[in-house]
C-alpha cells in the first residue's frame, strides 16, 4: 500500500503539476471523440478572451475544445498559460508546444515542424491567429524602415504554420493542407490578417502615417481625419493616464459579397471598429481578396481566400471583450469625455460585431460538418 501511495503521488505530480505534460496535447490529451480548434499564441489574455466569447455565447460553439499552439522560442512565458489551464473552468483548453528554432529561409517550405503541423491540422477543424507586434520585414523582402520587431520567433512559427495551411507565391508547387480539407476554418485579427498575407506571399506597408499619408510624427498624424488614424498617437505626446491604446474608426465594404451576403451586414452601415496598428497590407498574398477598406480606401480592413470560403480575416479587433460589456471609461484625445468601449458603439454597430462572430461560428460548424462527411 505504501508503494501504491507513492506511485499515486508521482502520477498526480507528473499529470497536474508538470508543465511539460500540460504542453503536449497531441501525446497526452487528444481524444478521438472531441472536436478541436487551434489558437496560435495562446497567452493568458487570448485564452481568457476566447473563454469570454464562449461564456457569453458570442462565439456559439458549445461542444468545441481549444488547443493553444506555439513555439517554445517565443518571448512569452507560457508557464502563465499552463497555470491558467489548471483552473477547473478552463478544462476546454489545452496546449501544444513545438520545439526548435527556424530561420526565415526555412519557414516557407517543409521543415522540422511540418509533421506536427499536419497532425494538428488533421485533429482540428480550424485555427485562430491573434494580434501582436511587427513582423520582420526581411521575410517579405523589404528593408526595415519603420518596423519594431520584438518577438521574431513567434512570427517565424505562425507564418510557417499559415504557409503550410494556405500555401503562397513562395512556391507554386507546394500543396497546402487545405487542399485536402477546403472547408477548414482559418481566421485572424490585426497581426493575424497581416500574417495570413505575408505567409501567402504578400507584403506590408510598414508605417501607415509615414508611407501612406506622408506624415513625419504623431502631431502631424493626429491632424488626419479620424478614419485615417488606426491607433492612438496621443500617447506619444501626452501622459494622460486615461488615454486608450486604440482608435475607433469607420470601415466600408468592397463589392466582394463577404460582408453583405455572408455576414449579412446592413449595406447602409459604415460600422465603427476598434483598431490599434500602424502597419497594413500592401501587396496581396496568393488567392486573397479584399472585403473591406478604410473609408478612403487606403487601408485594407478585411480579406477572404479566393478558394477556401472559411478562410477570412480583419485588420480590426472584434474579439475585445470590452466591446460587449460596460467597462472602464477611457478617451482618445485629452479633451474628450471618457467613454467605455461599449458606449463608443451604436446598437447597430454592436449588432455588426455580433453578426461577424455568428459568421465565424457558422464557418467553424461548416468545417465540422465537412469533416464528419469525410
Amino acid at each position: 500500500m505504501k508503494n501504491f501511495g507513492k506511485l499515486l503521488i508521482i502520477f498526480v505530480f507528473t499529470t497536474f503539476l508538470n508543465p511539460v505534460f500540460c504542453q503536449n496535447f497531441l501525446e497526452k490529451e487528444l481524444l478521438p471523440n472531441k472536436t478541436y480548434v487551434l489558437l496560435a499564441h495562446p497567452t493568458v489574455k487570448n485564452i481568457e478572451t476566447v473563454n469570454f466569447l464562449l461564456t457569453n455565447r458570442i462565439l456559439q460553439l458549445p461542444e468545441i475544445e481549444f488547443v493553444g499552439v506555439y513555439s517554445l522560442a517565443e518571448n512569452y512565458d507560457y508557464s502563465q498559460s499552463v497555470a491558467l489551464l489548471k483552473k477547473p473552468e478552463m478544462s476546454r483548453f489545452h496546449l501544444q508546444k513545438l520545439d526548435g528554432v527556424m530561420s526565415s529561409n526555412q519557414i516557407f517550405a517543409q521543415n522540422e515542424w511540418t509533421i506536427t503541423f499536419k497532425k494538428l491540422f488533421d485533429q482540428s477543424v480550424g485555427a485562430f491567429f491573434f494580434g501582436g507586434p511587427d513582423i520582420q520585414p526581411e521575410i517579405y523582402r523589404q528593408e526595415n524602415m519603420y518596423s519594431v520587431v520584438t518577438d521574431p520567433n513567434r512570427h517565424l512559427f505562425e507564418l510557417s504554420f499559415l504557409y503550410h495551411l494556405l500555401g503562397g507565391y513562395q512556391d507554386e508547387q507546394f500543396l497546402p493542407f487545405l487542399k485536402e480539407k477546403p472547408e477548414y476554418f482559418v481566421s485572424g485579427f490585426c497581426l493575424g490578417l497581416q500574417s495570413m498575407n505575408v505567409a501567402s506571399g504578400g507584403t506590408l506597408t510598414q508605417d501607415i502615417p509615414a508611407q501612406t499619408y506622408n506624415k513625419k510624427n504623431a502631431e502631424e498624424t493626429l491632424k488626419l481625419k479620424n478614419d485615417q488614424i488606426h491607433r492612438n498617437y496621443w500617447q506619444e505626446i501626452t501622459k494622460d493616464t486615461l488615454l486608450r491604446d486604440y482608435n475607433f474608426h469607420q470601415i466600408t465594404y468592397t463589392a466582394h459579397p463577404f460582408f453583405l451576403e455572408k455576414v449579412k451586414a446592413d449595406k447602409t452601415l459604415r460600422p465603427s471598429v476598434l483598431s490599434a496598428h500602424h502597419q497594413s497590407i500592401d501587396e496581396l498574398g496568393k488567392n486573397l481578396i479584399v472585403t473591406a477598406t478604410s473609408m478612403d480606401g487606403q487601408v485594407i480592413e478585411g480579406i477572404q481566400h479566393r478558394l477556401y470560403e472559411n478562410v477570412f480575416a480583419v485588420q480590426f479587433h472584434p474579439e475585445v471583450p470590452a466591446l460587449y460589456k460596460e467597462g472602464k471609461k477611457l478617451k482618445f484625445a485629452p479633451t474628450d469625455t471618457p467613454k467605455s468601449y461599449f458606449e463608443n458603439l451604436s446598437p447597430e454597430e454592436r449588432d455588426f460585431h455580433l453578426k461577424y462572430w455568428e459568421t465565424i461560428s457558422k464557418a467553424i460548424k461548416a468545417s465540422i460538418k465537412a469533416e464528419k462527411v469525410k
Side-chain angles (χ1 to χ4, degrees):
M1 286 297 292
K2 287 183 178 180
N3 288 337
F4 175 80
K6 288 180 180 178
L7 288 172
L8 182 61
I9 291 171
I10 292 170
F11 173 78
V12 171
F13 178 83
T14 56
T15 302
F16 297 102
L17 300 181
N18 187 344
V20 175
F21 178 93
C22 297
Q23 299 174 76
N24 280 295
F25 162 79
L26 287 172
E27 295 179 21
K28 305 294 184 182
E29 299 176 75
L30 174 64
L31 295 174
N33 61 333
K34 296 284 188 179
T35 303
Y36 299 101
V37 170
L38 308 177
L39 306 175
H41 198 54
T43 64
V44 167
K45 179 182 177 182
N46 287 338
I47 293 171
E48 288 180 338
T49 291
V50 173
N51 194 50
F52 169 86
L53 295 169
L54 292 166
T55 302
N56 289 274
R57 295 190 55 76
I58 297 166
L59 182 58
Q60 300 173 27
L61 300 169
E63 304 300 325
I64 304 297
E65 301 203 1
F66 296 84
V67 184
V69 295
Y70 60 93
S71 163
L72 276 179
E74 293 179 37
N75 285 341
Y76 185 78
D77 178 7
Y78 281 101
S79 66
Q80 300 174 69
S81 299
V82 172
L84 174 66
L85 298 197
K86 290 175 184 174
K87 296 181 179 180
E89 64 269 25
M90 307 305 289
S91 61
R92 293 174 66 175
F93 294 87
H94 316 269
L95 294 172
Q96 178 62 54
K97 64 180 177 64
L98 277 80
D99 298 304
V101 177
M102 293 289 164
S103 65
S104 58
N105 61 6
Q106 294 174 299
I107 60 174
F108 301 132
Q110 290 194 2
N111 54 45
E112 66 178 77
W113 288 332
T114 299
I115 293 175
T116 304
F117 284 160
K118 186 61 165 63
K119 287 179 181 177
L120 288 164
F121 173 75
D122 288 341
Q123 300 299 332
S124 62
V125 296
F128 283 103
F129 293 82
F130 293 92
D134 297 348
I135 297 169
Q136 47 271 51
E138 61 266 25
I139 291 179
Y140 50 92
R141 309 172 304 282
Q142 289 185 11
E143 178 186 350
N144 190 342
M145 296 182 291
Y146 300 100
S147 298
V148 180
V149 181
T150 59
D151 197 352
N153 288 315
R154 174 188 172 186
H155 300 308
L156 295 175
F157 170 77
E158 293 183 11
L159 291 170
S160 189
F161 193 15
L162 278 163
Y163 177 76
H164 279 76
L165 292 172
L166 305 176
Y169 289 129
Q170 298 90 334
D171 181 359
E172 297 284 1
Q173 303 306 311
F174 183 84
L175 291 179
F177 292 167
L178 264 74
K179 194 169 183 64
E180 181 182 317
K181 293 197 295 186
E183 300 297 323
Y184 190 87
F185 166 81
V186 184
S187 195
F189 317 109
C190 198
L191 171 65
L193 169 140
Q194 295 169 13
S195 297
M196 191 182 294
N197 189 63
V198 172
S200 53
T203 65
L204 300 180
T205 295
Q206 291 185 41
D207 188 67
I208 295 167
Q211 295 179 292
T212 303
Y213 298 114
N214 197 29
K215 301 303 179 184
K216 298 177 182 178
N217 52 45
E219 288 86 351
E220 288 189 9
T221 300
L222 287 165
K223 292 177 182 177
L224 291 167
K225 295 178 181 179
N226 182 71
D227 290 324
Q228 296 172 320
I229 301 173
H230 295 269
R231 70 179 188 191
N232 196 347
Y233 290 88
W234 278 108
Q235 294 183 329
E236 297 182 20
I237 56 179
T238 181
K239 295 183 179 180
D240 191 324
T241 57
L242 285 181
L243 294 178
R244 62 181 187 242
D245 297 330
Y246 297 79
N247 187 30
F248 283 92
H249 65 81
Q250 291 178 290
I251 63 169
T252 187
Y253 318 127
T254 66
H256 187 275
F258 176 81
F259 277 103
L260 295 183
E261 294 183 13
K262 197 174 183 75
V263 180
K264 301 190 185 312
D266 182 346
K267 66 180 180 180
T268 65
L269 183 68
R270 301 295 177 262
S272 289
V273 295
L274 193 63
S275 166
H277 63 102
H278 76 115
Q279 301 195 324
S280 62
I281 289 177
D282 182 15
E283 297 174 3
L284 278 167
K286 184 179 179 180
N287 288 318
L288 298 180
I289 307 170
V290 180
T291 60
T293 69
S294 58
M295 294 301 290
D296 63 4
Q298 294 297 306
V299 175
I300 293 173
E301 296 285 351
I303 56 174
Q304 185 181 29
H305 201 278
R306 189 186 306 274
L307 303 179
Y308 310 127
E309 67 173 350
N310 292 327
V311 175
F312 51 86
V314 291
Q315 180 61 73
F316 50 93
H317 286 278
E319 81 281 12
V320 173
L323 294 170
Y324 307 100
K325 63 176 182 179
E326 283 289 359
K328 185 177 180 179
K329 295 181 185 292
L330 300 168
K331 53 189 178 179
F332 175 71
T335 56
D336 290 346
T337 300
K339 284 177 159 183
S340 68
Y341 286 4
F342 184 84
E343 290 175 299
N344 271 278
L345 296 180
S346 68
E348 294 78 14
E349 289 167 334
R350 286 196 289 272
D351 184 59
F352 164 81
H353 283 75
L354 291 171
K355 283 181 177 178
Y356 187 74
W357 279 105
E358 184 178 348
T359 303
I360 288 176
S361 299
K362 287 179 178 178
I364 295 174
K365 289 173 183 176
S367 178
I368 295 170
K369 183 178 180 181
E371 187 73 5
K372 289 180 177 178
V373 170
K374 281 179 62 181

